[in-house]
Amino acid sequence: MEHFVDSRAGAGGKDGRGLILDPGAGMVQMDATAGRTRPPPTRKRPAMKVIELRDQFSLDNLAAAERPDPEPGPGQVMLAMRAASLNYRDWLLAQGGYGSVAGALPLIPVSDGVGEVVAVGAGVTRVAVGDRVCPIFFQGWIGGEPSQEAFATSLGGPLDGTLAQFMLLDQQGVVKVPEHLSDEAAATLPCAALTAWSAVVTEGGVKAGDTVLVQGTGGVSLFALQFAILQGAQVIATSKSDEKLARTRAMGAAHTINYEATPDWGKAAREWTDGRGVDLVVDVGGAATLPESLRAIRFGGRIAMMGVLSGAVSDLRIAAIVMRQVRLQGITVGPRVGFEAMARAIGQHRMEPVVDRVFPFEEARAALDYLAEQRHFGKVCIKI
């Protein structure tokens, strides 16, 4: 028989059973048979593997580390992460851009991922153990108008992101994913897919018969192409690669423009619509692409802006915006209710996100470098 003794009873004292309490040993064990004390068996706290940024923002400071396994409290869920996917924001933030917070290190980067619920705390009703879910990008934006407070809850900065074996989240911050998707495909949904859904459906209001122009062949642009086609619109795709343009045509693009061969692609897009202009431009470029986006858009049309790939400062043609009543709509991902609507549409149509390449967990740095080269077609993922 063994007894466990707590030294908090007092230095050199005895408990009610007459066992000696060692003030320097904390908890000790008494072996009644052998008549001697010994320390309890050593227990090493479980540790999970993570990839984190240390010391200062730089890809050179991206390193593997271990952190204690999380334990869910009331209303919380623990996810065993299966895959993550990269956005240009992740690369910018790791370099100290995109609103990086100086005091946020060490930080687990990357906002997007998918995991399996492996434990839940008291009171959890939205999901159950075994469900496969995505963390939402803004943990505090469930629905309604955006707010400064909601935008301060983004994963991958300032909150720890998805490059970890486990994540602990509030039950309100996850969404079940369509069953037909692979882990890597599901991991692409929280930022890139929802940004495109917000641009095309929630804010863009695209309907059957509309014309949508998408720029490039990154994750957001290809999702926008797919969602526009689901809405019954025709799509114009631009790229500097004829090979990639051929792939967009295979996905259903009605017209393509090589913007290197045709620098005035906005004019070319307008001409293709018999001079009317397109109903929506999904602008991921920023400074360099906005002038041509304004040339392409119709009277009363919308330009959804969500990227700064070519720069963040531009000289706007104010007259073109005012005289043609063009709406410039900034897009920053979207709320959970938008994610849920998008997930239903993806499941109903069995839509498949485009995954370019999958890297192992240990090669997260290589995956970010590959993303920065901008040679990918679709999403770059990491298997966890």
Side-chain angles (χ1 to χ4, degrees):
M1 178 178 180
E2 295 182 338
H3 303 289
F4 290 88
V5 183
D6 192 336
S7 64
R8 289 173 293 183
K14 298 181 180 181
D15 76 350
R17 294 164 297 177
L19 299 179
I20 297 175
L21 306 177
D22 182 351
M27 188 80 74
V28 297
Q29 283 184 322
M30 172 65 74
D31 187 327
T33 304
R36 61 181 183 274
T37 61
R38 64 181 186 273
T42 301
R43 289 184 180 180
K44 184 177 180 181
R45 183 175 176 80
M48 65 173 178
K49 295 179 180 179
V50 304
I51 304 293
E52 64 182 19
L53 286 162
R54 302 174 180 173
D55 302 325
Q56 62 182 358
F57 286 95
S58 168
L59 285 178
D60 292 334
N61 292 327
L62 197 66
E66 290 187 347
R67 295 190 184 184
D69 280 356
E71 297 178 3
Q76 293 181 319
V77 298
M78 187 170 82
L79 310 183
M81 299 305 293
R82 301 303 187 212
S85 75
L86 302 182
N87 299 289
Y88 186 60
R89 169 190 185 264
D90 300 318
W91 184 85
L92 280 177
L93 192 142
Q95 304 283 15
Y98 215 93
S100 302
V101 181
L105 300 179
L107 172 72
I108 300 173
V110 180
S111 62
D112 289 11
V114 67
E116 179 185 344
V117 178
V118 292
V120 301
V124 171
T125 58
R126 293 193 65 249
V127 295
V129 171
D131 286 344
R132 198 168 51 131
V133 300
C134 282
I136 60 176
F137 183 92
F138 289 117
Q139 287 288 294
W141 192 11
I142 305 303
E145 295 294 319
S147 67
Q148 183 176 353
E149 292 75 18
F151 276 25
T153 64
S154 56
L155 295 180
L159 305 184
D160 278 335
T162 59
L163 287 187
Q165 287 183 309
F166 297 98
M167 288 189 74
L168 188 63
L169 301 164
D170 189 275
Q171 66 168 329
Q172 301 299 331
V174 299
V175 173
K176 296 179 185 178
V177 299
E179 294 182 358
H180 74 281
L181 296 180
S182 68
D183 289 336
E184 289 74 24
T188 68
L189 302 182
C191 180
L194 185 53
T195 298
W197 178 267
S198 297
V200 173
V201 180
T202 307
E203 300 293 344
V206 170
K207 59 187 181 301
D210 284 352
T211 301
V212 176
L213 186 146
V214 301
Q215 299 172 354
T217 55
V220 172
S221 297
L222 293 187
F223 273 121
L225 184 156
Q226 290 175 295
F227 291 142
I229 292 173
L230 287 186
Q231 296 297 104
Q234 57 183 359
V235 177
I236 301 172
T238 70
S239 174
K240 63 181 179 181
S241 166
D242 288 336
E243 178 185 354
K244 290 181 177 180
L245 289 175
R247 295 179 69 178
T248 65
R249 289 194 296 273
M251 292 176 63
H255 185 60
T256 57
I257 304 172
N258 186 312
Y259 63 77
E260 278 196 342
T262 309
D264 55 348
W265 51 266
K267 178 183 177 183
R270 177 175 285 277
E271 290 174 349
W272 189 78
T273 61
D274 296 326
R276 177 178 180 271
V278 304
D279 298 281
L280 173 71
V281 175
V282 178
D283 193 305
V284 301
T289 55
L290 185 55
E292 289 302 312
S293 294
L294 285 169
R295 296 181 74 182
I297 201 70
R298 68 166 172 86
F299 278 72
R302 297 189 182 198
I303 300 176
M305 302 193 66
M306 73 288 294
V308 293
L309 292 174
S310 65
V313 180
S314 175
D315 292 328
L316 290 177
R317 297 166 57 196
I318 302 298
I321 297 172
V322 174
M323 299 302 293
R324 304 215 315 271
Q325 199 167 320
V326 173
R327 178 175 176 179
L328 295 180
Q329 175 68 59
I331 302 291
T332 305
V333 195
R336 192 189 78 195
V337 294
F339 194 137
E340 291 167 333
M342 176 189 72
R344 290 193 296 270
I346 291 173
Q348 177 181 340
H349 294 277
R350 298 189 68 83
M351 194 186 96
E352 286 287 348
V354 179
V355 175
D356 178 272
R357 184 172 172 184
V358 180
F359 287 78
F361 186 62
E362 297 77 14
E363 296 181 16
R365 167 64 190 272
L368 284 162
D369 288 339
Y370 178 73
L371 180 79
E373 294 171 1
Q374 298 185 29
R375 293 186 291 108
H376 55 287
F377 184 89
K379 297 296 294 179
V380 179
C381 297
I382 295 173
K383 189 174 184 64
I384 302 176

